[in-house]
Amino acid sequence: MTVCRDCCCGSGSKHPTVDHDAQLSALRATLEPGHRVRTSLCLDVCAQSNVVVVQPAPEARRAGARPVWFGLVLDDAVLTDLTTWVHAGGPGVAPVPPVLELSVITPPAT
C-alpha cells in the first residue's frame, strides 16, 4: 500500500480535521508486517487527496491484477474498509466492496 504524503495529501492546511499521522500509524498497525505500508511524494492527483494506492500481491499481479487507486481517504471508516479489503486479499483476489467503489479514482496518465 502506498500512501501519498506530499503537497496536498497529508496536508493539515488542506484537511485540518484529519489526523494524517494517526491515519498512517493506524494503517501500519493494522497491516504490517504482512503488508508493506509506505509513503510517497506527490502522486499527481491532488484534487483527490488523500490518495492511497493498494498494490496487488505478486501472485495476483502475475495473474493480471493491477493497483487500485483511492481518493478522498479522509476518515476512519474508509481506512477500516481499506484494511479489511486488503486482509481479504485486495486487488485480483477480493472484489472491491461497493462502499469502497465510491472512493476509487483513475490514476494519472503516465
Side-chain angles (χ1 to χ4, degrees):
M1 176 179 287
T2 303
V3 180
C4 186
R5 285 294 182 259
D6 199 20
C7 57
C8 294
C9 296
S11 168
S13 60
K14 185 168 183 176
H15 303 290
T17 62
V18 177
D19 186 339
H20 303 283
D21 292 334
Q23 270 192 339
L24 192 55
S25 293
L27 287 169
R28 287 185 168 143
T30 305
L31 294 174
E32 291 180 342
H35 304 277
R36 191 169 107 184
V37 177
R38 61 185 177 170
T39 59
S40 173
L41 295 177
C42 187
L43 294 173
D44 294 328
V45 282
C46 298
Q48 302 294 325
S49 68
N50 288 339
V51 176
V52 173
V53 182
V54 179
Q55 306 289 334
E59 49 281 351
R61 184 177 284 277
R62 284 190 293 277
R66 294 290 168 250
V68 180
W69 288 58
F70 297 92
L72 303 173
V73 180
L74 299 170
D75 63 50
D76 293 341
V78 175
L79 286 180
T80 299
D81 292 337
L82 277 171
T83 57
T84 300
W85 179 58
V86 168
H87 282 299
V93 175
V96 177
V99 69
L100 280 179
E101 285 285 346
L102 300 171
S103 298
V104 172
I105 61 172
T106 302
T110 54

